[in-house]
Amino acid sequence: MHVELIKNIFSVGYVDWNVRDFHSYETTRGATYNAYLIKDQKTALIDTVKAPFAKDLLENIGSVIDPAKVDYVVCNHAEPDHAGALAQVLKALPNAALVCNAKCDATLSRFFDTSGWKKEIVETGDQISLGKRTLQFIGTPMVHWPESMFTYVPEDKLLFSMDAFGQHYSTSQKFDDEVSLETAVFEAKTYYANIITPYGRNVSLTMEKVKYLDIKIIAPSHGIVWRTHTQKIIDLYSNWVVCRAQPKVLVLYDSMWGSTEKMAQTILEGASVPGIEAHLIHVRRSSLTQIATEVLDAAAIVCGSSTLNRGLMPAMGSVLTYLRGLRPMNKIGFAFGSYGWSKGGIEEVERYLKETGWDILHEPIMTQYSPAPDVLEECKEAGKKLAERVLGA
Amino acid sequence: MKKYVCDVCGWEYDPEKGDPDNGIKPGTAFEDLPDDYICPECGAGKESFSVV
């Protein structure tokens, strides 16, 4: 099956309705691996799919054109969800040359034996004429891997943006104006928060680089194509690259016997003032994916853990390890929690927050076994001060 | 002292500024960085850098 998106440009990728775990990313709405076929005097395939769906991709291509007539296979990104099917695809398209940059070639050669492949190595500024349409290549290092690249078609003002602007969102529809915009934006935000956040600086540099391009349509390698709300998603990205904060406070916690939970609830109570959106999140009842998405545009994140075996609770360790890798910037917070006969957990939480690069507002709030009224008063006051700081910022 | 750029992500090491967040004082030449120095932006090793 294929869908003609614009005259002679076809969507031939795969809709993975049932995937729910994408290397720890909880894909509640499934995912798509988009591939696009441009039919012209020369025909080009833009990206492929995950290896198990190579057959589906080839069937889709075959429903548009004789596979022997495909001249180019452009690889914008070497990650296996887009390049995994390359070996099978190139074998089935006997006359096609792989088009990619030198870094991509080097990366692909770690995944495949590429020695028999026909290749055309391109770099930023190079272009290939297909006839009526042109493919222009723009290197976009670390958006999202070192070899990442955009392919631009000036005749349609169309940008094949690889992972950038993507969403894990399986639908039968192909365009932003055919689905709920709220859902598409939510999934784009979730995708950004969980995949792109560490590369904000490189996304900014790339957006500067492509500013001179007239972009009407953005066709990412996951999810729907932006054609009506293109400027909206570009504007949202310019907020996300700096993790621009809403007046939002998150209280993340895990608790053994309710002491840390009581402290968390009291901090939340203190922070719940007009103008502040405050959330209480038990880390064992929420996914890493949801937490990272909430963190992206939060101003303050406080993290609490009971002390277990002289360390922090394992689920909190998992959340903080994940966030430390994502490095969302411009956040403030502090650590809190409880301990019994030995300390350790709360200090570990604080260490993580520092390593993530967040501003620590004050010393951790700690209590032994169960919070006495004075500790709860301290929690409430800390919540209130946090809210004031967020509103004043 | 020469500036170096990370070939993976494009981050630039400026010896005049050093990398204070990672314990490298201003005025440290790239050649004098420890062997296990990594790019603060993407984590690539010292061998991934080249002279600007």
Side-chain angles (χ1 to χ4, degrees):
Chain A
M1 200 188 124
H2 64 262
V3 176
E4 189 165 16
L5 300 174
I6 324 174
K7 194 168 166 49
N8 286 327
I9 299 186
F10 302 85
S11 167
V12 290
Y14 185 76
V15 182
D16 197 352
W17 293 97
N18 294 322
V19 66
R20 290 293 177 273
D21 173 23
F22 191 96
H23 57 55
S24 299
Y25 182 136
E26 187 185 54
T27 48
T28 48
R29 287 189 167 92
T32 74
Y33 317 112
N34 297 344
Y36 304 94
L37 191 75
I38 308 177
K39 207 168 127 186
D40 204 328
Q41 287 162 22
K42 298 268 189 184
T43 290
L45 176 69
I46 311 287
D47 291 317
T48 74
V49 295
K50 260 190 190 174
F53 312 119
K55 194 170 152 278
D56 303 87
L57 170 65
L58 289 167
E59 271 174 25
N60 296 345
I61 295 170
S63 71
V64 179
I65 194 169
D66 171 2
K69 290 190 173 154
V70 178
D71 301 281
Y72 302 109
V73 176
V74 176
C75 181
N76 283 320
H77 181 19
E79 196 169 8
D81 49 340
H82 311 295
L86 263 181
Q88 297 164 75
V89 166
L90 287 171
K91 201 171 160 195
L93 307 177
N95 298 310
L98 171 72
V99 177
C100 67
N101 61 33
K103 274 185 192 166
C104 189
D105 181 33
T107 308
L108 291 173
S109 70
R110 305 292 303 183
F111 283 106
F112 306 100
D113 174 7
T114 69
S115 54
W117 295 4
K118 242 194 308 178
K119 293 175 196 170
E120 210 162 302
I121 305 299
V122 294
E123 56 182 81
T124 298
D126 285 352
Q127 53 180 48
I128 291 178
S129 173
L130 300 176
K132 289 183 182 140
R133 288 182 162 110
T134 316
L135 303 179
Q136 297 180 343
F137 307 104
I138 305 149
T140 60
M142 298 315 285
V143 181
H144 133 227
W145 280 16
E147 82 297 341
S148 295
M149 176 174 92
F150 286 171
T151 299
Y152 179 67
V153 179
E155 292 81 2
D156 302 288
K157 298 171 178 157
L158 163 60
L159 184 72
F160 292 106
S161 63
M162 179 235 355
D163 282 344
F165 308 106
Q167 335 93 47
H168 281 322
Y169 181 19
S170 48
T171 61
S172 59
Q173 301 101 313
K174 300 293 174 198
F175 288 105
D176 56 349
D177 49 38
E178 298 175 324
V179 299
S180 147
L181 180 60
E182 201 183 332
T183 306
V185 164
F186 176 78
E187 290 302 338
K189 180 182 171 190
T190 303
Y191 189 89
Y192 187 94
N194 286 275
I195 304 278
I196 314 283
T197 301
Y199 315 111
R201 179 183 151 274
N202 297 83
V203 177
S204 300
L205 293 173
T206 292
M207 286 171 79
E208 269 307 300
K209 225 194 279 185
V210 300
K211 224 161 74 177
Y212 71 91
L213 295 179
D214 191 1
I215 300 170
K216 288 275 183 302
I217 306 168
I218 297 177
S221 53
H222 295 291
I224 52 92
V225 173
W226 306 94
R227 69 173 174 192
T228 298
H229 305 288
T230 311
Q231 194 53 49
K232 184 178 175 75
I233 191 65
I234 291 174
D235 292 345
L236 285 168
Y237 256 62
S238 61
N239 287 328
W240 296 338
V241 292
V242 288
C243 302
R244 184 155 292 137
Q246 303 297 318
K248 190 164 100 175
V249 171
L250 306 182
V251 182
L252 305 182
Y253 75 100
D254 197 351
S255 190
M256 289 171 75
W257 297 109
S259 297
T260 302
E261 181 161 62
K262 210 166 184 180
M263 295 170 80
Q265 286 165 342
T266 313
I267 294 169
L268 181 89
E269 196 187 320
S272 299
V273 302
I276 287 285
E277 174 191 341
H279 294 258
L280 186 69
I281 300 176
H282 189 306
V283 296
R284 268 186 285 140
R285 310 217 174 97
S286 194
S287 70
L288 289 174
T289 312
Q290 289 169 324
I291 292 171
T293 307
E294 287 295 342
V295 165
L296 177 67
D297 59 0
I301 302 109
V302 297
C303 300
S305 177
S306 318
T307 298
L308 175 70
N309 304 330
R310 296 164 69 184
L312 80 180
M313 296 283 280
M316 183 54 85
S318 162
V319 166
L320 293 176
T321 301
Y322 190 52
L323 292 175
R324 185 180 59 185
L326 290 170
R327 285 186 293 156
M329 57 171 100
N330 302 327
K331 310 295 177 203
I332 56 173
F334 60 82
F336 67 94
S338 58
Y339 61 94
W341 59 96
S342 70
K343 291 186 179 177
I346 307 142
E347 295 87 336
E348 222 172 343
V349 170
E350 187 181 65
R351 198 155 57 237
Y352 267 107
L353 300 184
K354 283 181 178 163
E355 286 170 3
T356 308
W358 295 351
D359 278 348
I360 309 297
L361 289 188
H362 50 72
E363 293 291 304
I365 305 177
M366 299 193 197
T367 194
Q368 190 174 25
Y369 288 113
S370 180
D374 63 320
V375 173
L376 291 177
E377 192 48 47
E378 194 187 346
C379 288
K380 196 168 172 181
E381 195 54 30
K384 206 174 133 209
K385 283 212 173 108
L386 191 67
E388 281 166 5
R389 171 80 182 256
V390 167
L391 288 172
Chain B
M1 284 191 293
K2 286 175 185 151
K3 288 181 183 174
Y4 277 69
V5 67
C6 171
D7 295 330
V8 174
C9 73
W11 185 82
E12 197 176 86
Y13 178 77
D14 181 349
E16 277 184 27
K17 292 181 189 154
D19 181 5
D21 288 349
N22 295 296
I24 306 296
K25 286 181 190 153
T28 307
F30 183 82
E31 294 74 16
D32 295 333
L33 292 173
D35 289 343
D36 59 356
Y37 180 75
I38 56 167
C39 170
E41 191 62 33
C42 74
K46 212 179 155 184
E47 70 287 353
S48 296
F49 282 78
S50 53
V51 183
V52 176

